[in-house]
Amino acid sequence: MQNIRIALSGKRRSGKSTTTQKLVERASSLGFQPAVISHSSAIKLVAQKGFSISPTDRGGLQRVGFDWGMLAASKVLGSTDIWTNWVLSDTQEAESAGFNFIVCDDLRFTCQADFLRNENFLLVRLDTTPELISSRDQGGKTTGNDSHPSETDLDNYSLWDIQLMPNVTIDHIVEVVWLHLQKRGLLQ
């Protein structure tokens, strides 16, 4: 069985986590060994341990992930791939441990999309609307900046393998992903 790699993108509250959960459940039921990896896990670890920023402080995570991580790394190292390198390392470790269905649940930037595309990830975009985001906000509490590059950088990206509009169900999204994997010959 060939390893499958999927990266999900979308604004906050677009359904990335729920879609990831459903993809993992389906993969498990069909005999795959799934693993979930995230750009945010690395960012949360650095934010919490390095800067005492809560993993629930969206604005703080945006500052650490983008301002400190990507922009500073670009200036110092000449590359914005700091978090994507971490994701690729986690992917390779998971695959070495026997996991064969990898889902990255938080693709946020063009450089990440291009990098993961080159590493054979299926790129899936979950589009949404401001009204849908608002309806999914828990108790009306929103932190972070919805105009931050982590929310807007991929708005005009055109190289998605799958791009789904906000009026579809999570089950439909999973079915479309599964059909795409079959068409690519990744499911036997």
Side-chain angles (χ1 to χ4, degrees):
M1 193 178 304
Q2 184 175 350
N3 288 349
I4 293 172
R5 295 174 170 183
I6 301 169
L8 299 176
S9 172
K11 296 181 184 297
R12 67 181 185 85
R13 305 270 189 247
S14 63
K16 296 181 301 296
S17 297
T18 305
T19 299
T20 296
Q21 178 185 349
K22 295 285 189 173
L23 284 168
V24 164
E25 289 170 4
R26 185 158 185 187
S28 292
S29 74
L30 295 172
F32 286 95
Q33 300 299 314
V36 178
I37 56 172
S38 298
H39 289 95
S40 66
S41 63
I43 294 166
K44 287 177 181 177
L45 182 66
V46 170
Q48 190 171 15
K49 291 189 176 208
F51 299 100
S52 299
I53 294 173
S54 168
T56 61
D57 179 354
R58 186 172 190 80
L61 295 175
Q62 287 173 330
R63 285 189 305 279
V64 169
F66 184 71
D67 302 335
W68 178 83
M70 291 179 66
L71 294 180
S74 176
K75 288 178 185 174
V76 174
L77 303 173
S79 172
T80 59
D81 295 332
I82 181 172
W83 308 120
T84 309
N85 283 331
W86 197 311
V87 161
L88 183 59
S89 176
D90 285 352
T91 297
Q92 292 166 341
E93 288 174 15
E95 289 173 343
S96 292
F99 294 95
N100 59 2
F101 192 96
I102 308 297
V103 181
C104 175
D105 65 355
D106 63 348
L107 175 60
R108 295 285 185 174
F109 293 97
T110 300
C111 60
Q112 294 171 346
D114 291 340
F115 186 103
L116 293 180
R117 171 179 284 290
N118 289 333
E119 294 295 331
N120 299 313
F121 277 77
L122 177 76
L123 303 184
V124 180
R125 176 67 172 189
L126 306 178
D127 283 329
T128 191
T129 64
E131 295 78 23
L132 188 57
I133 291 170
S134 179
S135 74
R136 291 178 175 170
D137 275 339
Q138 299 166 346
K141 295 178 185 174
T142 303
T143 60
N145 179 351
D146 286 342
S147 62
H148 189 271
S150 65
E151 294 293 333
T152 63
D153 190 61
L154 288 168
D155 286 351
N156 297 312
Y157 190 74
S158 63
L159 299 177
W160 302 111
D161 295 299
I162 301 170
Q163 186 169 7
L164 295 157
M165 297 300 122
N167 58 344
V168 299
T169 65
I170 299 294
D171 289 333
H172 178 78
I173 294 167
V174 170
E175 191 60 33
V176 168
V177 169
W178 225 257
L179 290 171
H180 196 86
L181 293 171
Q182 285 175 333
K183 286 180 185 177
R184 280 188 160 193
L186 296 173
L187 302 175
Q188 303 301 330

